[in-house]
Amino acid sequence: MSLTAYILGILAALLTLGVVIEMMRRKRMRERHAIWWLLAGTLALIIGIFPGILNWTAELLGVGVGTNLVFFVSIAVLFLVCIQASAELTTLEDKTRSLAEQTVLLQLRVKELERRLGADDGRASDAGAPPAA
C-alpha cells in the first residue's frame, strides 16, 4: 500500500471518531448508539497505524486478502448497527402508539367533562332566572 493510502485510512478513522464523539458531546447521539461506530473507528485507526495487523489477522482467520477481511468486518458492523436501530425503532413505535392511545382517552375525558360542565351551567342559569309568566 502507498503512503497516501495509509494517511487517508488514518484520517478517515480519526474523522469517524471525531464526528461520533462530537455528536455525543452535543447530545445528538447517545453512548449506546455510538458504541459500534466507536468500535469501527478504533479498529480502523489501529489498522491504519499498524497495517501489518490486518495481514496477520487475515492469515490467522484464513482470509486470502486483508481487504476482504476489512469488507467483512465493515459489513458486520453495519449489520449490527441496523439491528440496533431496528430494535430502537420498534421500542419508539410502541411508545408512540401508547401515547397516542392515552391522548385520545384524555381528549374524550375532557370533552365529557366540558359537556357536563356546560349542562351544569345551563341548569344554574335556569335556576336563577325569574319564572316565566
Side-chain angles (χ1 to χ4, degrees):
M1 248 193 198
S2 69
L3 180 63
T4 305
Y6 287 127
I7 291 173
L8 285 176
I10 292 170
L11 290 177
L14 289 172
L15 180 67
T16 300
L17 290 171
V19 167
V20 171
I21 291 169
E22 183 63 19
M23 288 179 75
M24 287 185 340
R25 190 182 73 77
R26 292 183 182 210
K27 306 269 190 242
R28 305 235 339 134
M29 183 183 290
R30 292 176 56 192
E31 292 83 4
R32 70 183 205 186
H33 297 122
I35 190 74
W36 295 113
W37 297 115
L38 292 172
L39 178 68
T42 303
L43 285 174
L45 184 62
I46 291 169
I47 289 171
I49 294 172
F50 306 107
I53 292 175
L54 179 62
N55 294 327
W56 177 79
T57 307
E59 287 178 23
L60 183 70
L61 296 175
V63 178
V65 180
T67 309
N68 290 343
L69 181 61
V70 169
F71 286 128
F72 174 77
V73 170
S74 299
I75 290 169
V77 168
L78 290 175
F79 181 73
L80 291 171
V81 168
C82 287
I83 288 174
Q84 183 181 25
S86 295
E88 287 289 323
L89 181 61
T90 301
T91 302
L92 290 174
E93 285 176 346
D94 290 344
K95 287 180 180 179
T96 301
R97 185 181 314 107
S98 175
L99 288 172
E101 291 170 356
Q102 288 176 8
T103 302
V104 169
L105 291 174
L106 289 173
Q107 287 174 342
L108 289 173
R109 286 183 67 190
V110 167
K111 285 182 182 179
E112 178 63 22
L113 290 172
E114 287 174 344
R115 186 186 62 78
R116 286 183 187 173
L117 185 61
D120 289 343
D121 285 345
R123 277 187 258 149
S125 62
D126 289 344

